[in-house]
Each structure stands twice: as structure tokens, then as C-alpha cells.
Amino acid sequence: MEETETKQRLHLVMGGRVKDPRSLEFQDPESLHVVGVFSDYDDAVEAWRANAQRTVDDAEMKYVVVHIHRLLTPEV
């Protein structure tokens, strides 16, 4: 019986007001809304979608999913 090790894949969902709706440069990074950290991509997307939908009428508000696991281990 062989054990398989599942690697943890963390995802951060955050958002805030951007300088230009076509960019990811936030106006005030210190005031970003951190929705949370999720160990499952589907849960992160669900949280992203809920927050993005809530602010859909404000073109300067943008929410993103950050793949933290890629920052911690870039080779993955």
C-alpha cells in the first residue's frame, strides 16, 4: 500500500479600489479587503465571485484570487 502525499495549495482572495480598471495597481494597498485564505481553489473562486458580484457596478473595485502556493514553491 503506497501513501500519496497531497500538497497543500493555498489561495488568497482580496480586493480593493484600483487606479485603472484595466490594471491590478491598487489605489491604497493598506486598505485592501482580505476576504480570506482558502485551501481549495473552488472555494476561493466562490468567495471571489461573491465579492466581485457585490461590487459589480463599481468599475474601480476589483477582487482577485492569488495562488499563494505558487509564491511559496514557484516550481509547482
Side-chain angles (χ1 to χ4, degrees):
M1 191 180 218
E2 195 174 303
E3 271 189 50
T4 58
E5 185 179 318
T6 308
K7 294 191 178 189
Q8 188 175 49
R9 299 191 184 278
L10 298 175
H11 303 85
L12 167 68
V13 178
M14 65 180 192
R17 192 163 299 284
V18 291
K19 291 183 178 183
D20 180 342
R22 297 167 292 181
S23 76
L24 282 175
E25 186 177 354
F26 292 98
Q27 288 182 13
D28 185 12
E30 286 77 21
S31 68
L32 285 175
H33 173 218
V34 176
V35 177
V37 176
F38 301 86
S39 60
D40 180 81
Y41 180 72
D42 292 335
D43 291 340
V45 169
E46 186 177 320
W48 164 81
R49 186 172 284 118
N51 283 277
Q53 185 64 37
R54 187 174 48 80
T55 60
V56 71
D57 292 331
D58 187 349
E60 293 181 342
M61 285 297 290
K62 187 174 281 192
Y63 280 84
V64 295
V65 176
V66 180
H67 300 271
I68 298 175
H69 62 93
R70 291 184 185 164
L71 299 173
L72 297 173
T73 54
E75 66 276 355
V76 175

PDB file of all heavy atoms in Angstrom, residues 35-70:
ATOM      1  N   VAL A  35     -10.472  38.878   1.946  1.00  0.00           N
ATOM      2  CA  VAL A  35     -11.632  38.021   2.151  1.00  0.00           C
ATOM      3  C   VAL A  35     -11.223  36.800   2.963  1.00  0.00           C
ATOM      4  O   VAL A  35     -11.910  36.404   3.899  1.00  0.00           O
ATOM      5  CB  VAL A  35     -12.247  37.601   0.801  1.00  0.00           C
ATOM      6  CG1 VAL A  35     -13.413  36.651   0.996  1.00  0.00           C
ATOM      7  CG2 VAL A  35     -12.674  38.837   0.017  1.00  0.00           C
ATOM      8  N   GLY A  36     -10.063  36.209   2.605  1.00  0.00           N
ATOM      9  CA  GLY A  36      -9.596  35.058   3.351  1.00  0.00           C
ATOM     10  C   GLY A  36      -8.626  34.201   2.570  1.00  0.00           C
ATOM     11  O   GLY A  36      -8.346  34.446   1.402  1.00  0.00           O
ATOM     12  N   VAL A  37      -8.116  33.187   3.244  1.00  0.00           N
ATOM     13  CA  VAL A  37      -7.208  32.211   2.646  1.00  0.00           C
ATOM     14  C   VAL A  37      -7.961  30.893   2.571  1.00  0.00           C
ATOM     15  O   VAL A  37      -8.601  30.479   3.539  1.00  0.00           O
ATOM     16  CB  VAL A  37      -5.919  32.059   3.491  1.00  0.00           C
ATOM     17  CG1 VAL A  37      -5.026  30.973   2.924  1.00  0.00           C
ATOM     18  CG2 VAL A  37      -5.174  33.392   3.557  1.00  0.00           C
ATOM     19  N   PHE A  38      -7.864  30.248   1.410  1.00  0.00           N
ATOM     20  CA  PHE A  38      -8.615  29.019   1.157  1.00  0.00           C
ATOM     21  C   PHE A  38      -7.668  27.920   0.708  1.00  0.00           C
ATOM     22  O   PHE A  38      -6.731  28.175  -0.047  1.00  0.00           O
ATOM     23  CB  PHE A  38      -9.676  29.267   0.078  1.00  0.00           C
ATOM     24  CG  PHE A  38     -10.645  30.350   0.457  1.00  0.00           C
ATOM     25  CD1 PHE A  38     -10.352  31.681   0.207  1.00  0.00           C
ATOM     26  CD2 PHE A  38     -11.836  30.049   1.080  1.00  0.00           C
ATOM     27  CE1 PHE A  38     -11.230  32.687   0.563  1.00  0.00           C
ATOM     28  CE2 PHE A  38     -12.724  31.044   1.453  1.00  0.00           C
ATOM     29  CZ  PHE A  38     -12.421  32.368   1.189  1.00  0.00           C
ATOM     30  N   SER A  39      -7.915  26.714   1.151  1.00  0.00           N
ATOM     31  CA  SER A  39      -7.058  25.588   0.767  1.00  0.00           C
ATOM     32  C   SER A  39      -7.575  24.890  -0.483  1.00  0.00           C
ATOM     33  O   SER A  39      -6.921  23.994  -1.003  1.00  0.00           O
ATOM     34  CB  SER A  39      -6.946  24.580   1.916  1.00  0.00           C
ATOM     35  OG  SER A  39      -8.221  24.080   2.247  1.00  0.00           O
ATOM     36  N   ASP A  40      -8.714  25.322  -0.964  1.00  0.00           N
ATOM     37  CA  ASP A  40      -9.307  24.715  -2.147  1.00  0.00           C
ATOM     38  C   ASP A  40      -9.613  25.815  -3.164  1.00  0.00           C
ATOM     39  O   ASP A  40     -10.240  26.823  -2.826  1.00  0.00           O
ATOM     40  CB  ASP A  40     -10.590  23.985  -1.726  1.00  0.00           C
ATOM     41  CG  ASP A  40     -11.285  23.329  -2.884  1.00  0.00           C
ATOM     42  OD1 ASP A  40     -10.859  22.227  -3.273  1.00  0.00           O
ATOM     43  OD2 ASP A  40     -12.240  23.933  -3.410  1.00  0.00           O
ATOM     44  N   TYR A  41      -9.186  25.642  -4.395  1.00  0.00           N
ATOM     45  CA  TYR A  41      -9.378  26.658  -5.432  1.00  0.00           C
ATOM     46  C   TYR A  41     -10.859  26.944  -5.661  1.00  0.00           C
ATOM     47  O   TYR A  41     -11.255  28.101  -5.818  1.00  0.00           O
ATOM     48  CB  TYR A  41      -8.711  26.213  -6.735  1.00  0.00           C
ATOM     49  CG  TYR A  41      -8.875  27.210  -7.843  1.00  0.00           C
ATOM     50  CD1 TYR A  41      -8.182  28.417  -7.832  1.00  0.00           C
ATOM     51  CD2 TYR A  41      -9.733  26.962  -8.906  1.00  0.00           C
ATOM     52  CE1 TYR A  41      -8.349  29.350  -8.842  1.00  0.00           C
ATOM     53  CE2 TYR A  41      -9.899  27.874  -9.928  1.00  0.00           C
ATOM     54  CZ  TYR A  41      -9.202  29.070  -9.885  1.00  0.00           C
ATOM     55  OH  TYR A  41      -9.371  29.994 -10.892  1.00  0.00           O
ATOM     56  N   ASP A  42     -11.680  25.926  -5.673  1.00  0.00           N
ATOM     57  CA  ASP A  42     -13.116  26.125  -5.905  1.00  0.00           C
ATOM     58  C   ASP A  42     -13.747  27.008  -4.830  1.00  0.00           C
ATOM     59  O   ASP A  42     -14.590  27.860  -5.139  1.00  0.00           O
ATOM     60  CB  ASP A  42     -13.842  24.784  -5.993  1.00  0.00           C
ATOM     61  CG  ASP A  42     -13.460  23.996  -7.236  1.00  0.00           C
ATOM     62  OD1 ASP A  42     -13.035  24.615  -8.235  1.00  0.00           O
ATOM     63  OD2 ASP A  42     -13.586  22.761  -7.203  1.00  0.00           O
ATOM     64  N   ASP A  43     -13.333  26.826  -3.584  1.00  0.00           N
ATOM     65  CA  ASP A  43     -13.842  27.669  -2.500  1.00  0.00           C
ATOM     66  C   ASP A  43     -13.360  29.109  -2.666  1.00  0.00           C
ATOM     67  O   ASP A  43     -14.098  30.061  -2.401  1.00  0.00           O
ATOM     68  CB  ASP A  43     -13.406  27.138  -1.137  1.00  0.00           C
ATOM     69  CG  ASP A  43     -14.078  25.824  -0.782  1.00  0.00           C
ATOM     70  OD1 ASP A  43     -15.138  25.503  -1.379  1.00  0.00           O
ATOM     71  OD2 ASP A  43     -13.542  25.105   0.083  1.00  0.00           O
ATOM     72  N   ALA A  44     -12.111  29.271  -3.113  1.00  0.00           N
ATOM     73  CA  ALA A  44     -11.571  30.609  -3.348  1.00  0.00           C
ATOM     74  C   ALA A  44     -12.337  31.307  -4.467  1.00  0.00           C
ATOM     75  O   ALA A  44     -12.679  32.493  -4.350  1.00  0.00           O
ATOM     76  CB  ALA A  44     -10.079  30.524  -3.686  1.00  0.00           C
ATOM     77  N   VAL A  45     -12.636  30.591  -5.524  1.00  0.00           N
ATOM     78  CA  VAL A  45     -13.385  31.175  -6.640  1.00  0.00           C
ATOM     79  C   VAL A  45     -14.796  31.558  -6.197  1.00  0.00           C
ATOM     80  O   VAL A  45     -15.314  32.613  -6.579  1.00  0.00           O
ATOM     81  CB  VAL A  45     -13.423  30.210  -7.846  1.00  0.00           C
ATOM     82  CG1 VAL A  45     -14.416  30.669  -8.898  1.00  0.00           C
ATOM     83  CG2 VAL A  45     -12.037  30.083  -8.454  1.00  0.00           C
ATOM     84  N   GLU A  46     -15.391  30.737  -5.372  1.00  0.00           N
ATOM     85  CA  GLU A  46     -16.732  31.043  -4.855  1.00  0.00           C
ATOM     86  C   GLU A  46     -16.711  32.332  -4.036  1.00  0.00           C
ATOM     87  O   GLU A  46     -17.587  33.192  -4.184  1.00  0.00           O
ATOM     88  CB  GLU A  46     -17.229  29.875  -4.006  1.00  0.00           C
ATOM     89  CG  GLU A  46     -18.655  30.013  -3.543  1.00  0.00           C
ATOM     90  CD  GLU A  46     -19.117  28.792  -2.774  1.00  0.00           C
ATOM     91  OE1 GLU A  46     -18.769  27.663  -3.163  1.00  0.00           O
ATOM     92  OE2 GLU A  46     -19.829  28.982  -1.769  1.00  0.00           O
ATOM     93  N   ALA A  47     -15.699  32.502  -3.186  1.00  0.00           N
ATOM     94  CA  ALA A  47     -15.566  33.717  -2.385  1.00  0.00           C
ATOM     95  C   ALA A  47     -15.267  34.920  -3.275  1.00  0.00           C
ATOM     96  O   ALA A  47     -15.813  36.015  -3.065  1.00  0.00           O
ATOM     97  CB  ALA A  47     -14.464  33.540  -1.342  1.00  0.00           C
ATOM     98  N   TRP A  48     -14.408  34.734  -4.264  1.00  0.00           N
ATOM     99  CA  TRP A  48     -14.093  35.807  -5.214  1.00  0.00           C
ATOM    100  C   TRP A  48     -15.359  36.250  -5.951  1.00  0.00           C
ATOM    101  O   TRP A  48     -15.652  37.431  -6.058  1.00  0.00           O
ATOM    102  CB  TRP A  48     -13.035  35.332  -6.219  1.00  0.00           C
ATOM    103  CG  TRP A  48     -12.953  36.204  -7.420  1.00  0.00           C
ATOM    104  CD1 TRP A  48     -12.289  37.387  -7.531  1.00  0.00           C
ATOM    105  CD2 TRP A  48     -13.599  35.983  -8.680  1.00  0.00           C
ATOM    106  NE1 TRP A  48     -12.474  37.912  -8.783  1.00  0.00           N
ATOM    107  CE2 TRP A  48     -13.279  37.064  -9.504  1.00  0.00           C
ATOM    108  CE3 TRP A  48     -14.410  34.971  -9.181  1.00  0.00           C
ATOM    109  CZ2 TRP A  48     -13.740  37.172 -10.812  1.00  0.00           C
ATOM    110  CZ3 TRP A  48     -14.874  35.074 -10.478  1.00  0.00           C
ATOM    111  CH2 TRP A  48     -14.538  36.160 -11.280  1.00  0.00           C
ATOM    112  N   ARG A  49     -16.098  35.273  -6.465  1.00  0.00           N
ATOM    113  CA  ARG A  49     -17.305  35.566  -7.237  1.00  0.00           C
ATOM    114  C   ARG A  49     -18.330  36.331  -6.395  1.00  0.00           C
ATOM    115  O   ARG A  49     -18.940  37.298  -6.864  1.00  0.00           O
ATOM    116  CB  ARG A  49     -17.917  34.285  -7.773  1.00  0.00           C
ATOM    117  CG  ARG A  49     -19.091  34.527  -8.693  1.00  0.00           C
ATOM    118  CD  ARG A  49     -19.574  33.262  -9.377  1.00  0.00           C
ATOM    119  NE  ARG A  49     -18.642  32.913 -10.444  1.00  0.00           N
ATOM    120  CZ  ARG A  49     -17.939  31.788 -10.492  1.00  0.00           C
ATOM    121  NH1 ARG A  49     -18.066  30.877  -9.558  1.00  0.00           N
ATOM    122  NH2 ARG A  49     -17.117  31.545 -11.491  1.00  0.00           N
ATOM    123  N   ALA A  50     -18.520  35.921  -5.160  1.00  0.00           N
ATOM    124  CA  ALA A  50     -19.486  36.591  -4.285  1.00  0.00           C
ATOM    125  C   ALA A  50     -19.105  38.049  -4.057  1.00  0.00           C
ATOM    126  O   ALA A  50     -19.953  38.946  -4.119  1.00  0.00           O
ATOM    127  CB  ALA A  50     -19.577  35.856  -2.955  1.00  0.00           C
ATOM    128  N   ASN A  51     -17.826  38.310  -3.814  1.00  0.00           N
ATOM    129  CA  ASN A  51     -17.388  39.688  -3.571  1.00  0.00           C
ATOM    130  C   ASN A  51     -17.357  40.508  -4.847  1.00  0.00           C
ATOM    131  O   ASN A  51     -17.716  41.689  -4.844  1.00  0.00           O
ATOM    132  CB  ASN A  51     -16.024  39.691  -2.876  1.00  0.00           C
ATOM    133  CG  ASN A  51     -16.155  39.356  -1.420  1.00  0.00           C
ATOM    134  OD1 ASN A  51     -16.459  40.214  -0.606  1.00  0.00           O
ATOM    135  ND2 ASN A  51     -15.980  38.088  -1.082  1.00  0.00           N
ATOM    136  N   ALA A  52     -16.930  39.926  -5.941  1.00  0.00           N
ATOM    137  CA  ALA A  52     -16.915  40.640  -7.216  1.00  0.00           C
ATOM    138  C   ALA A  52     -18.335  40.985  -7.645  1.00  0.00           C
ATOM    139  O   ALA A  52     -18.588  42.095  -8.143  1.00  0.00           O
ATOM    140  CB  ALA A  52     -16.212  39.800  -8.279  1.00  0.00           C
ATOM    141  N   GLN A  53     -19.264  40.079  -7.452  1.00  0.00           N
ATOM    142  CA  GLN A  53     -20.657  40.326  -7.818  1.00  0.00           C
ATOM    143  C   GLN A  53     -21.257  41.442  -6.965  1.00  0.00           C
ATOM    144  O   GLN A  53     -22.006  42.265  -7.456  1.00  0.00           O
ATOM    145  CB  GLN A  53     -21.482  39.042  -7.653  1.00  0.00           C
ATOM    146  CG  GLN A  53     -22.909  39.178  -8.117  1.00  0.00           C
ATOM    147  CD  GLN A  53     -23.024  39.457  -9.604  1.00  0.00           C
ATOM    148  OE1 GLN A  53     -22.270  38.941 -10.404  1.00  0.00           O
ATOM    149  NE2 GLN A  53     -23.973  40.293  -9.975  1.00  0.00           N
ATOM    150  N   ARG A  54     -20.868  41.478  -5.707  1.00  0.00           N
ATOM    151  CA  ARG A  54     -21.374  42.503  -4.787  1.00  0.00           C
ATOM    152  C   ARG A  54     -20.958  43.902  -5.235  1.00  0.00           C
ATOM    153  O   ARG A  54     -21.658  44.878  -4.989  1.00  0.00           O
ATOM    154  CB  ARG A  54     -20.846  42.208  -3.370  1.00  0.00           C
ATOM    155  CG  ARG A  54     -21.399  43.072  -2.275  1.00  0.00           C
ATOM    156  CD  ARG A  54     -20.936  42.601  -0.898  1.00  0.00           C
ATOM    157  NE  ARG A  54     -19.517  42.345  -0.791  1.00  0.00           N
ATOM    158  CZ  ARG A  54     -18.581  43.290  -0.625  1.00  0.00           C
ATOM    159  NH1 ARG A  54     -18.914  44.546  -0.572  1.00  0.00           N
ATOM    160  NH2 ARG A  54     -17.306  42.958  -0.520  1.00  0.00           N
ATOM    161  N   THR A  55     -19.806  44.023  -5.911  1.00  0.00           N
ATOM    162  CA  THR A  55     -19.280  45.327  -6.325  1.00  0.00           C
ATOM    163  C   THR A  55     -19.288  45.489  -7.843  1.00  0.00           C
ATOM    164  O   THR A  55     -18.552  46.308  -8.387  1.00  0.00           O
ATOM    165  CB  THR A  55     -17.833  45.502  -5.804  1.00  0.00           C
ATOM    166  OG1 THR A  55     -17.009  44.466  -6.345  1.00  0.00           O
ATOM    167  CG2 THR A  55     -17.785  45.465  -4.289  1.00  0.00           C
ATOM    168  N   VAL A  56     -20.131  44.732  -8.532  1.00  0.00           N
ATOM    169  CA  VAL A  56     -20.125  44.701  -9.997  1.00  0.00           C
ATOM    170  C   VAL A  56     -20.396  46.080 -10.626  1.00  0.00           C
ATOM    171  O   VAL A  56     -19.898  46.360 -11.716  1.00  0.00           O
ATOM    172  CB  VAL A  56     -21.119  43.640 -10.529  1.00  0.00           C
ATOM    173  CG1 VAL A  56     -22.550  44.068 -10.307  1.00  0.00           C
ATOM    174  CG2 VAL A  56     -20.853  43.324 -11.983  1.00  0.00           C
ATOM    175  N   ASP A  57     -21.127  46.936  -9.965  1.00  0.00           N
ATOM    176  CA  ASP A  57     -21.450  48.245 -10.530  1.00  0.00           C
ATOM    177  C   ASP A  57     -20.348  49.278 -10.338  1.00  0.00           C
ATOM    178  O   ASP A  57     -20.460  50.396 -10.838  1.00  0.00           O
ATOM    179  CB  ASP A  57     -22.750  48.769  -9.924  1.00  0.00           C
ATOM    180  CG  ASP A  57     -23.952  47.943 -10.363  1.00  0.00           C
ATOM    181  OD1 ASP A  57     -23.912  47.371 -11.468  1.00  0.00           O
ATOM    182  OD2 ASP A  57     -24.920  47.861  -9.585  1.00  0.00           O
ATOM    183  N   ASP A  58     -19.299  48.940  -9.627  1.00  0.00           N
ATOM    184  CA  ASP A  58     -18.182  49.858  -9.369  1.00  0.00           C
ATOM    185  C   ASP A  58     -16.963  49.373 -10.159  1.00  0.00           C
ATOM    186  O   ASP A  58     -16.269  48.449  -9.736  1.00  0.00           O
ATOM    187  CB  ASP A  58     -17.888  49.898  -7.871  1.00  0.00           C
ATOM    188  CG  ASP A  58     -16.856  50.948  -7.503  1.00  0.00           C
ATOM    189  OD1 ASP A  58     -16.204  51.511  -8.412  1.00  0.00           O
ATOM    190  OD2 ASP A  58     -16.683  51.194  -6.295  1.00  0.00           O
ATOM    191  N   ALA A  59     -16.699  49.999 -11.295  1.00  0.00           N
ATOM    192  CA  ALA A  59     -15.618  49.552 -12.185  1.00  0.00           C
ATOM    193  C   ALA A  59     -14.240  49.648 -11.551  1.00  0.00           C
ATOM    194  O   ALA A  59     -13.314  48.972 -11.987  1.00  0.00           O
ATOM    195  CB  ALA A  59     -15.639  50.365 -13.480  1.00  0.00           C
ATOM    196  N   GLU A  60     -14.097  50.470 -10.522  1.00  0.00           N
ATOM    197  CA  GLU A  60     -12.788  50.626  -9.888  1.00  0.00           C
ATOM    198  C   GLU A  60     -12.535  49.625  -8.767  1.00  0.00           C
ATOM    199  O   GLU A  60     -11.452  49.606  -8.192  1.00  0.00           O
ATOM    200  CB  GLU A  60     -12.622  52.058  -9.372  1.00  0.00           C
ATOM    201  CG  GLU A  60     -12.546  53.074 -10.489  1.00  0.00           C
ATOM    202  CD  GLU A  60     -12.365  54.489  -9.976  1.00  0.00           C
ATOM    203  OE1 GLU A  60     -12.638  54.735  -8.789  1.00  0.00           O
ATOM    204  OE2 GLU A  60     -11.966  55.345 -10.771  1.00  0.00           O
ATOM    205  N   MET A  61     -13.525  48.813  -8.437  1.00  0.00           N
ATOM    206  CA  MET A  61     -13.340  47.776  -7.418  1.00  0.00           C
ATOM    207  C   MET A  61     -13.005  46.463  -8.114  1.00  0.00           C
ATOM    208  O   MET A  61     -13.672  46.069  -9.064  1.00  0.00           O
ATOM    209  CB  MET A  61     -14.611  47.594  -6.592  1.00  0.00           C
ATOM    210  CG  MET A  61     -14.850  48.704  -5.593  1.00  0.00           C
ATOM    211  SD  MET A  61     -13.577  48.828  -4.330  1.00  0.00           S
ATOM    212  CE  MET A  61     -13.886  47.366  -3.380  1.00  0.00           C
ATOM    213  N   LYS A  62     -11.947  45.818  -7.642  1.00  0.00           N
ATOM    214  CA  LYS A  62     -11.521  44.570  -8.264  1.00  0.00           C
ATOM    215  C   LYS A  62     -11.123  43.577  -7.182  1.00  0.00           C
ATOM    216  O   LYS A  62     -10.413  43.917  -6.240  1.00  0.00           O
ATOM    217  CB  LYS A  62     -10.334  44.829  -9.188  1.00  0.00           C
ATOM    218  CG  LYS A  62      -9.937  43.614 -10.011  1.00  0.00           C
ATOM    219  CD  LYS A  62      -8.849  43.954 -11.007  1.00  0.00           C
ATOM    220  CE  LYS A  62      -9.473  44.653 -12.182  1.00  0.00           C
ATOM    221  NZ  LYS A  62      -8.567  44.764 -13.314  1.00  0.00           N
ATOM    222  N   TYR A  63     -11.588  42.345  -7.340  1.00  0.00           N
ATOM    223  CA  TYR A  63     -11.213  41.244  -6.452  1.00  0.00           C
ATOM    224  C   TYR A  63     -10.407  40.237  -7.258  1.00  0.00           C
ATOM    225  O   TYR A  63     -10.655  40.045  -8.456  1.00  0.00           O
ATOM    226  CB  TYR A  63     -12.453  40.575  -5.835  1.00  0.00           C
ATOM    227  CG  TYR A  63     -12.991  41.369  -4.678  1.00  0.00           C
ATOM    228  CD1 TYR A  63     -13.862  42.437  -4.885  1.00  0.00           C
ATOM    229  CD2 TYR A  63     -12.599  41.086  -3.379  1.00  0.00           C
ATOM    230  CE1 TYR A  63     -14.332  43.191  -3.827  1.00  0.00           C
ATOM    231  CE2 TYR A  63     -13.067  41.838  -2.317  1.00  0.00           C
ATOM    232  CZ  TYR A  63     -13.930  42.884  -2.550  1.00  0.00           C
ATOM    233  OH  TYR A  63     -14.378  43.631  -1.496  1.00  0.00           O
ATOM    234  N   VAL A  64      -9.438  39.602  -6.606  1.00  0.00           N
ATOM    235  CA  VAL A  64      -8.555  38.655  -7.280  1.00  0.00           C
ATOM    236  C   VAL A  64      -8.327  37.425  -6.403  1.00  0.00           C
ATOM    237  O   VAL A  64      -8.490  37.480  -5.190  1.00  0.00           O
ATOM    238  CB  VAL A  64      -7.184  39.294  -7.621  1.00  0.00           C
ATOM    239  CG1 VAL A  64      -7.330  40.413  -8.630  1.00  0.00           C
ATOM    240  CG2 VAL A  64      -6.498  39.804  -6.371  1.00  0.00           C
ATOM    241  N   VAL A  65      -7.948  36.338  -7.076  1.00  0.00           N
ATOM    242  CA  VAL A  65      -7.508  35.118  -6.386  1.00  0.00           C
ATOM    243  C   VAL A  65      -6.004  35.032  -6.593  1.00  0.00           C
ATOM    244  O   VAL A  65      -5.528  35.023  -7.731  1.00  0.00           O
ATOM    245  CB  VAL A  65      -8.188  33.862  -6.963  1.00  0.00           C
ATOM    246  CG1 VAL A  65      -7.632  32.607  -6.300  1.00  0.00           C
ATOM    247  CG2 VAL A  65      -9.694  33.934  -6.800  1.00  0.00           C
ATOM    248  N   VAL A  66      -5.254  34.986  -5.515  1.00  0.00           N
ATOM    249  CA  VAL A  66      -3.798  34.882  -5.562  1.00  0.00           C
ATOM    250  C   VAL A  66      -3.409  33.453  -5.180  1.00  0.00           C
ATOM    251  O   VAL A  66      -3.825  32.958  -4.134  1.00  0.00           O
ATOM    252  CB  VAL A  66      -3.129  35.890  -4.602  1.00  0.00           C
ATOM    253  CG1 VAL A  66      -1.609  35.760  -4.668  1.00  0.00           C
ATOM    254  CG2 VAL A  66      -3.576  37.305  -4.908  1.00  0.00           C
ATOM    255  N   HIS A  67      -2.638  32.816  -6.028  1.00  0.00           N
ATOM    256  CA  HIS A  67      -2.197  31.446  -5.770  1.00  0.00           C
ATOM    257  C   HIS A  67      -0.966  31.486  -4.855  1.00  0.00           C
ATOM    258  O   HIS A  67       0.171  31.531  -5.321  1.00  0.00           O
ATOM    259  CB  HIS A  67      -1.853  30.738  -7.087  1.00  0.00           C
ATOM    260  CG  HIS A  67      -3.019  30.660  -8.016  1.00  0.00           C
ATOM    261  ND1 HIS A  67      -3.906  29.615  -7.992  1.00  0.00           N
ATOM    262  CD2 HIS A  67      -3.455  31.507  -8.973  1.00  0.00           C
ATOM    263  CE1 HIS A  67      -4.832  29.808  -8.907  1.00  0.00           C
ATOM    264  NE2 HIS A  67      -4.582  30.956  -9.514  1.00  0.00           N
ATOM    265  N   ILE A  68      -1.204  31.486  -3.556  1.00  0.00           N
ATOM    266  CA  ILE A  68      -0.107  31.585  -2.589  1.00  0.00           C
ATOM    267  C   ILE A  68       0.861  30.418  -2.739  1.00  0.00           C
ATOM    268  O   ILE A  68       2.064  30.582  -2.611  1.00  0.00           O
ATOM    269  CB  ILE A  68      -0.642  31.653  -1.147  1.00  0.00           C
ATOM    270  CG1 ILE A  68      -1.488  32.896  -0.969  1.00  0.00           C
ATOM    271  CG2 ILE A  68       0.501  31.628  -0.146  1.00  0.00           C
ATOM    272  CD1 ILE A  68      -2.149  32.991   0.384  1.00  0.00           C
ATOM    273  N   HIS A  69       0.355  29.248  -3.043  1.00  0.00           N
ATOM    274  CA  HIS A  69       1.215  28.074  -3.161  1.00  0.00           C
ATOM    275  C   HIS A  69       2.251  28.256  -4.269  1.00  0.00           C
ATOM    276  O   HIS A  69       3.359  27.727  -4.174  1.00  0.00           O
ATOM    277  CB  HIS A  69       0.392  26.797  -3.388  1.00  0.00           C
ATOM    278  CG  HIS A  69      -0.414  26.802  -4.642  1.00  0.00           C
ATOM    279  ND1 HIS A  69       0.041  26.288  -5.819  1.00  0.00           N
ATOM    280  CD2 HIS A  69      -1.660  27.267  -4.884  1.00  0.00           C
ATOM    281  CE1 HIS A  69      -0.886  26.430  -6.750  1.00  0.00           C
ATOM    282  NE2 HIS A  69      -1.944  27.031  -6.199  1.00  0.00           N
ATOM    283  N   ARG A  70       1.948  29.034  -5.281  1.00  0.00           N
ATOM    284  CA  ARG A  70       2.922  29.293  -6.352  1.00  0.00           C
ATOM    285  C   ARG A  70       4.012  30.235  -5.894  1.00  0.00           C
ATOM    286  O   ARG A  70       5.131  30.178  -6.387  1.00  0.00           O
ATOM    287  CB  ARG A  70       2.220  29.847  -7.591  1.00  0.00           C
ATOM    288  CG  ARG A  70       1.347  28.823  -8.258  1.00  0.00           C
ATOM    289  CD  ARG A  70       0.737  29.358  -9.516  1.00  0.00           C
ATOM    290  NE  ARG A  70      -0.181  28.408 -10.086  1.00  0.00           N
ATOM    291  CZ  ARG A  70      -1.082  28.691 -10.995  1.00  0.00           C
ATOM    292  NH1 ARG A  70      -1.185  29.934 -11.440  1.00  0.00           N
ATOM    293  NH2 ARG A  70      -1.872  27.770 -11.459  1.00  0.00           N
TER     294      ARG A  70
END
